[in-house]
PDB file of all heavy atoms in Angstrom:
ATOM      1  N   ILE A 905      80.059 -14.111 -87.665  1.00 90.00           N
ATOM      2  CA  ILE A 905      79.696 -13.836 -89.056  1.00 90.00           C
ATOM      3  C   ILE A 905      80.666 -14.530 -90.013  1.00 90.00           C
ATOM      4  O   ILE A 905      80.268 -15.084 -91.044  1.00 90.00           O
ATOM      5  CB  ILE A 905      79.681 -12.319 -89.331  1.00 90.00           C
ATOM      6  CG1 ILE A 905      78.639 -11.620 -88.450  1.00 90.00           C
ATOM      7  CG2 ILE A 905      79.419 -12.046 -90.799  1.00 90.00           C
ATOM      8  CD1 ILE A 905      77.215 -12.026 -88.715  1.00 90.00           C
ATOM      9  N   SER A 906      81.958 -14.537 -89.671  1.00 88.00           N
ATOM     10  CA  SER A 906      82.964 -15.186 -90.520  1.00 88.00           C
ATOM     11  C   SER A 906      82.705 -16.679 -90.636  1.00 88.00           C
ATOM     12  O   SER A 906      82.765 -17.258 -91.722  1.00 88.00           O
ATOM     13  CB  SER A 906      84.364 -14.925 -89.955  1.00 88.00           C
ATOM     14  OG  SER A 906      85.338 -15.662 -90.661  1.00 88.00           O
ATOM     15  N   ASP A 907      82.406 -17.312 -89.495  1.00 85.00           N
ATOM     16  CA  ASP A 907      82.152 -18.753 -89.505  1.00 85.00           C
ATOM     17  C   ASP A 907      80.885 -19.091 -90.283  1.00 85.00           C
ATOM     18  O   ASP A 907      80.803 -20.140 -90.936  1.00 85.00           O
ATOM     19  CB  ASP A 907      82.047 -19.285 -88.080  1.00 85.00           C
ATOM     20  CG  ASP A 907      83.416 -19.508 -87.451  1.00 85.00           C
ATOM     21  OD1 ASP A 907      84.405 -18.989 -87.995  1.00 85.00           O
ATOM     22  OD2 ASP A 907      83.498 -20.188 -86.416  1.00 85.00           O
ATOM     23  N   LEU A 908      79.885 -18.221 -90.209  1.00 85.00           N
ATOM     24  CA  LEU A 908      78.670 -18.449 -90.987  1.00 85.00           C
ATOM     25  C   LEU A 908      78.981 -18.453 -92.475  1.00 85.00           C
ATOM     26  O   LEU A 908      78.432 -19.253 -93.243  1.00 85.00           O
ATOM     27  CB  LEU A 908      77.633 -17.359 -90.683  1.00 85.00           C
ATOM     28  CG  LEU A 908      76.806 -17.502 -89.409  1.00 85.00           C
ATOM     29  CD1 LEU A 908      75.802 -16.366 -89.301  1.00 85.00           C
ATOM     30  CD2 LEU A 908      76.088 -18.843 -89.359  1.00 85.00           C
ATOM     31  N   SER A 909      79.862 -17.553 -92.886  1.00 80.00           N
ATOM     32  CA  SER A 909      80.227 -17.467 -94.301  1.00 80.00           C
ATOM     33  C   SER A 909      80.954 -18.735 -94.751  1.00 80.00           C
ATOM     34  O   SER A 909      80.768 -19.206 -95.878  1.00 80.00           O
ATOM     35  CB  SER A 909      81.115 -16.242 -94.540  1.00 80.00           C
ATOM     36  OG  SER A 909      80.433 -15.052 -94.188  1.00 80.00           O
ATOM     37  N   ASN A 910      81.787 -19.282 -93.852  1.00 78.00           N
ATOM     38  CA  ASN A 910      82.564 -20.476 -94.200  1.00 78.00           C
ATOM     39  C   ASN A 910      81.741 -21.759 -94.066  1.00 78.00           C
ATOM     40  O   ASN A 910      82.000 -22.745 -94.757  1.00 78.00           O
ATOM     41  CB  ASN A 910      83.811 -20.576 -93.313  1.00 78.00           C
ATOM     42  CG  ASN A 910      84.776 -19.432 -93.566  1.00 78.00           C
ATOM     43  OD1 ASN A 910      84.839 -18.896 -94.670  1.00 78.00           O
ATOM     44  ND2 ASN A 910      85.512 -19.038 -92.535  1.00 78.00           N
ATOM     45  N   ASN A 911      80.762 -21.739 -93.115  1.00 68.00           N
ATOM     46  CA  ASN A 911      79.856 -22.880 -92.926  1.00 68.00           C
ATOM     47  C   ASN A 911      80.645 -24.186 -92.792  1.00 68.00           C
ATOM     48  O   ASN A 911      80.506 -25.106 -93.597  1.00 68.00           O
ATOM     49  CB  ASN A 911      78.871 -22.958 -94.100  1.00 68.00           C
ATOM     50  CG  ASN A 911      77.701 -23.878 -93.794  1.00 68.00           C
ATOM     51  OD1 ASN A 911      77.396 -24.129 -92.642  1.00 68.00           O
ATOM     52  ND2 ASN A 911      77.059 -24.374 -94.835  1.00 68.00           N
ATOM     53  N   LYS A 912      81.433 -24.312 -91.742  1.00 71.00           N
ATOM     54  CA  LYS A 912      82.452 -25.361 -91.654  1.00 71.00           C
ATOM     55  C   LYS A 912      81.914 -26.768 -91.364  1.00 71.00           C
ATOM     56  O   LYS A 912      82.203 -27.701 -92.093  1.00 71.00           O
ATOM     57  CB  LYS A 912      83.481 -24.988 -90.578  1.00 71.00           C
ATOM     58  CG  LYS A 912      84.301 -23.768 -90.925  1.00 71.00           C
ATOM     59  CD  LYS A 912      85.507 -23.653 -90.025  1.00 71.00           C
ATOM     60  CE  LYS A 912      85.118 -23.619 -88.562  1.00 71.00           C
ATOM     61  NZ  LYS A 912      86.286 -23.463 -87.677  1.00 71.00           N
ATOM     62  N   ILE A 913      81.157 -26.955 -90.288  1.00 84.00           N
ATOM     63  CA  ILE A 913      80.832 -28.301 -89.823  1.00 84.00           C
ATOM     64  C   ILE A 913      79.365 -28.648 -90.091  1.00 84.00           C
ATOM     65  O   ILE A 913      78.473 -27.826 -89.905  1.00 84.00           O
ATOM     66  CB  ILE A 913      81.138 -28.439 -88.311  1.00 84.00           C
ATOM     67  CG1 ILE A 913      82.640 -28.249 -88.075  1.00 84.00           C
ATOM     68  CG2 ILE A 913      80.704 -29.790 -87.777  1.00 84.00           C
ATOM     69  CD1 ILE A 913      83.066 -28.413 -86.637  1.00 84.00           C
ATOM     70  N   LEU A 914      79.133 -29.879 -90.517  1.00 87.00           N
ATOM     71  CA  LEU A 914      77.778 -30.360 -90.760  1.00 87.00           C
ATOM     72  C   LEU A 914      76.949 -30.281 -89.484  1.00 87.00           C
ATOM     73  O   LEU A 914      77.435 -30.557 -88.388  1.00 87.00           O
ATOM     74  CB  LEU A 914      77.808 -31.803 -91.256  1.00 87.00           C
ATOM     75  CG  LEU A 914      78.389 -32.036 -92.655  1.00 87.00           C
ATOM     76  CD1 LEU A 914      78.599 -33.526 -92.884  1.00 87.00           C
ATOM     77  CD2 LEU A 914      77.481 -31.451 -93.715  1.00 87.00           C
ATOM     78  N   SER A 915      75.695 -29.940 -89.622  1.00 87.00           N
ATOM     79  CA  SER A 915      74.813 -29.835 -88.462  1.00 87.00           C
ATOM     80  C   SER A 915      74.155 -31.175 -88.174  1.00 87.00           C
ATOM     81  O   SER A 915      74.194 -32.111 -88.987  1.00 87.00           O
ATOM     82  CB  SER A 915      73.727 -28.788 -88.722  1.00 87.00           C
ATOM     83  OG  SER A 915      72.818 -29.256 -89.713  1.00 87.00           O
ATOM     84  N   ALA A 916      73.511 -31.255 -87.002  1.00 90.00           N
ATOM     85  CA  ALA A 916      72.779 -32.467 -86.639  1.00 90.00           C
ATOM     86  C   ALA A 916      71.651 -32.734 -87.624  1.00 90.00           C
ATOM     87  O   ALA A 916      71.376 -33.892 -87.978  1.00 90.00           O
ATOM     88  CB  ALA A 916      72.223 -32.330 -85.222  1.00 90.00           C
ATOM     89  N   VAL A 917      71.000 -31.686 -88.104  1.00 89.00           N
ATOM     90  CA  VAL A 917      69.922 -31.850 -89.083  1.00 89.00           C
ATOM     91  C   VAL A 917      70.474 -32.427 -90.377  1.00 89.00           C
ATOM     92  O   VAL A 917      69.869 -33.337 -90.981  1.00 89.00           O
ATOM     93  CB  VAL A 917      69.221 -30.499 -89.353  1.00 89.00           C
ATOM     94  CG1 VAL A 917      68.162 -30.661 -90.443  1.00 89.00           C
ATOM     95  CG2 VAL A 917      68.578 -29.967 -88.086  1.00 89.00           C
ATOM     96  N   ASP A 918      71.638 -31.930 -90.813  1.00 90.00           N
ATOM     97  CA  ASP A 918      72.260 -32.457 -92.043  1.00 90.00           C
ATOM     98  C   ASP A 918      72.495 -33.959 -91.930  1.00 90.00           C
ATOM     99  O   ASP A 918      72.222 -34.713 -92.879  1.00 90.00           O
ATOM    100  CB  ASP A 918      73.600 -31.760 -92.305  1.00 90.00           C
ATOM    101  CG  ASP A 918      73.443 -30.287 -92.623  1.00 90.00           C
ATOM    102  OD1 ASP A 918      72.401 -29.912 -93.179  1.00 90.00           O
ATOM    103  OD2 ASP A 918      74.372 -29.522 -92.296  1.00 90.00           O
ATOM    104  N   ILE A 919      73.018 -34.386 -90.800  1.00 93.00           N
ATOM    105  CA  ILE A 919      73.420 -35.785 -90.626  1.00 93.00           C
ATOM    106  C   ILE A 919      72.227 -36.688 -90.340  1.00 93.00           C
ATOM    107  O   ILE A 919      72.111 -37.778 -90.913  1.00 93.00           O
ATOM    108  CB  ILE A 919      74.465 -35.896 -89.498  1.00 93.00           C
ATOM    109  CG1 ILE A 919      75.762 -35.207 -89.935  1.00 93.00           C
ATOM    110  CG2 ILE A 919      74.731 -37.360 -89.122  1.00 93.00           C
ATOM    111  CD1 ILE A 919      76.819 -35.131 -88.859  1.00 93.00           C
ATOM    112  N   LEU A 920      71.332 -36.256 -89.469  1.00 94.00           N
ATOM    113  CA  LEU A 920      70.255 -37.126 -89.005  1.00 94.00           C
ATOM    114  C   LEU A 920      69.031 -37.133 -89.912  1.00 94.00           C
ATOM    115  O   LEU A 920      68.299 -38.127 -89.975  1.00 94.00           O
ATOM    116  CB  LEU A 920      69.829 -36.734 -87.587  1.00 94.00           C
ATOM    117  CG  LEU A 920      70.880 -36.936 -86.499  1.00 94.00           C
ATOM    118  CD1 LEU A 920      70.357 -36.447 -85.158  1.00 94.00           C
ATOM    119  CD2 LEU A 920      71.313 -38.391 -86.407  1.00 94.00           C
ATOM    120  N   GLU A 921      68.782 -36.039 -90.614  1.00 92.00           N
ATOM    121  CA  GLU A 921      67.566 -35.978 -91.426  1.00 92.00           C
ATOM    122  C   GLU A 921      67.852 -35.942 -92.925  1.00 92.00           C
ATOM    123  O   GLU A 921      66.925 -35.971 -93.730  1.00 92.00           O
ATOM    124  CB  GLU A 921      66.731 -34.754 -91.024  1.00 92.00           C
ATOM    125  CG  GLU A 921      66.230 -34.814 -89.589  1.00 92.00           C
ATOM    126  CD  GLU A 921      65.198 -33.745 -89.278  1.00 92.00           C
ATOM    127  OE1 GLU A 921      64.620 -33.184 -90.234  1.00 92.00           O
ATOM    128  OE2 GLU A 921      64.964 -33.467 -88.086  1.00 92.00           O
ATOM    129  N   GLY A 922      69.126 -35.873 -93.299  1.00 89.00           N
ATOM    130  CA  GLY A 922      69.469 -35.812 -94.710  1.00 89.00           C
ATOM    131  C   GLY A 922      69.799 -37.179 -95.290  1.00 89.00           C
ATOM    132  O   GLY A 922      69.517 -38.214 -94.699  1.00 89.00           O
ATOM    133  N   ASP A 923      70.416 -37.158 -96.449  1.00 91.00           N
ATOM    134  CA  ASP A 923      70.862 -38.388 -97.115  1.00 91.00           C
ATOM    135  C   ASP A 923      72.283 -38.665 -96.635  1.00 91.00           C
ATOM    136  O   ASP A 923      73.250 -38.123 -97.182  1.00 91.00           O
ATOM    137  CB  ASP A 923      70.804 -38.206 -98.633  1.00 91.00           C
ATOM    138  CG  ASP A 923      71.129 -39.497 -99.389  1.00 91.00           C
ATOM    139  OD1 ASP A 923      71.637 -40.448 -98.750  1.00 91.00           O
ATOM    140  OD2 ASP A 923      70.890 -39.540-100.610  1.00 91.00           O
ATOM    141  N   PHE A 924      72.415 -39.532 -95.641  1.00 91.00           N
ATOM    142  CA  PHE A 924      73.722 -39.751 -95.027  1.00 91.00           C
ATOM    143  C   PHE A 924      74.741 -40.289 -96.022  1.00 91.00           C
ATOM    144  O   PHE A 924      75.929 -39.973 -95.925  1.00 91.00           O
ATOM    145  CB  PHE A 924      73.602 -40.716 -93.842  1.00 91.00           C
ATOM    146  CG  PHE A 924      74.891 -40.882 -93.089  1.00 91.00           C
ATOM    147  CD1 PHE A 924      75.254 -39.995 -92.084  1.00 91.00           C
ATOM    148  CD2 PHE A 924      75.781 -41.899 -93.406  1.00 91.00           C
ATOM    149  CE1 PHE A 924      76.451 -40.121 -91.412  1.00 91.00           C
ATOM    150  CE2 PHE A 924      76.990 -42.041 -92.737  1.00 91.00           C
ATOM    151  CZ  PHE A 924      77.318 -41.145 -91.733  1.00 91.00           C
ATOM    152  N   ASP A 925      74.292 -41.100 -96.985  1.00 87.00           N
ATOM    153  CA  ASP A 925      75.220 -41.726 -97.917  1.00 87.00           C
ATOM    154  C   ASP A 925      75.977 -40.694 -98.754  1.00 87.00           C
ATOM    155  O   ASP A 925      77.022 -41.003 -99.330  1.00 87.00           O
ATOM    156  CB  ASP A 925      74.461 -42.689 -98.840  1.00 87.00           C
ATOM    157  CG  ASP A 925      73.860 -43.843 -98.046  1.00 87.00           C
ATOM    158  OD1 ASP A 925      74.436 -44.203 -97.005  1.00 87.00           O
ATOM    159  OD2 ASP A 925      72.800 -44.349 -98.453  1.00 87.00           O
ATOM    160  N   LYS A 926      75.463 -39.470 -98.817  1.00 89.00           N
ATOM    161  CA  LYS A 926      76.121 -38.422 -99.597  1.00 89.00           C
ATOM    162  C   LYS A 926      77.075 -37.569 -98.750  1.00 89.00           C
ATOM    163  O   LYS A 926      77.680 -36.632 -99.265  1.00 89.00           O
ATOM    164  CB  LYS A 926      75.071 -37.511-100.239  1.00 89.00           C
ATOM    165  CG  LYS A 926      74.205 -38.203-101.272  1.00 89.00           C
ATOM    166  CD  LYS A 926      73.203 -37.232-101.884  1.00 89.00           C
ATOM    167  CE  LYS A 926      72.343 -37.915-102.946  1.00 89.00           C
ATOM    168  NZ  LYS A 926      71.355 -36.966-103.542  1.00 89.00           N
ATOM    169  N   LEU A 927      77.202 -37.906 -97.456  1.00 87.00           N
ATOM    170  CA  LEU A 927      77.969 -37.053 -96.548  1.00 87.00           C
ATOM    171  C   LEU A 927      79.384 -37.558 -96.278  1.00 87.00           C
ATOM    172  O   LEU A 927      80.162 -36.875 -95.611  1.00 87.00           O
ATOM    173  CB  LEU A 927      77.232 -36.917 -95.203  1.00 87.00           C
ATOM    174  CG  LEU A 927      75.833 -36.313 -95.253  1.00 87.00           C
ATOM    175  CD1 LEU A 927      75.239 -36.269 -93.848  1.00 87.00           C
ATOM    176  CD2 LEU A 927      75.854 -34.916 -95.850  1.00 87.00           C
TER     177      LEU A 927
END
Side-chain angles (χ1 to χ4, degrees):
I905 299 296
S906 173
D907 280 15
L908 280 182
S909 299
N910 295 331
N911 195 22
K912 294 194 303 182
I913 297 182
L914 291 169
S915 69
V917 176
D918 294 330
I919 293 174
L920 295 177
E921 297 191 18
D923 185 347
F924 185 85
D925 296 331
K926 295 181 179 180
L927 300 179

